Amino acid sequence: VQGKTIISDNRWHDVAVTWHKSTKTVRLFVDGKLDGEGVLAAKEPIPNAVFRFGFTSPDFPQTHAFQGEIREVSFLQQGID
């Protein structure tokens, strides 16, 4: 999922991602506002799966990588209202 907002102002921003297992829907938020969404589902079970952020997997068609700093990462089992 790729957002629409280009962040290049040298300021900290809050970025959040949600994924709903039942619908396989991914939503990307920047500073509390929805910025992109899509469907994320494996074509088949993935043994020993690894969660990655900041770069794409080796077989991804594009070679984009995050450039900047990540200060904090949290994983939650349910959404926050």
Side-chain angles (χ1 to χ4, degrees), residues 31-49:
D31 295 327
K33 297 178 182 173
L34 182 63
D35 196 59
E37 61 186 327
V39 175
L40 180 63
K43 295 177 183 174
E44 56 188 58
I46 303 171
N48 304 316

Side-chain angles (χ1 to χ4, degrees), residues 5-15 30-31 66-69:
T5 302
I6 297 172
I7 300 174
S8 59
D9 58 5
N10 290 322
R11 300 175 71 193
W12 285 103
H13 294 273
D14 291 316
V15 177
V30 176
D31 295 327
F66 174 78
Q67 294 180 359
E69 296 180 37

Side-chain angles (χ1 to χ4, degrees), residues 23-72:
T23 62
K24 311 293 190 240
T25 302
V26 175
R27 298 175 80 194
L28 172 67
F29 296 85
V30 176
D31 295 327
K33 297 178 182 173
L34 182 63
D35 196 59
E37 61 186 327
V39 175
L40 180 63
K43 295 177 183 174
E44 56 188 58
I46 303 171
N48 304 316
V50 175
F51 181 81
R52 299 176 185 200
F53 59 94
F55 63 96
T56 57
S57 63
D59 61 347
F60 198 75
Q62 300 173 1
T63 57
H64 296 294
F66 174 78
Q67 294 180 359
E69 296 180 37
I70 298 174
R71 183 175 66 182
E72 183 178 327

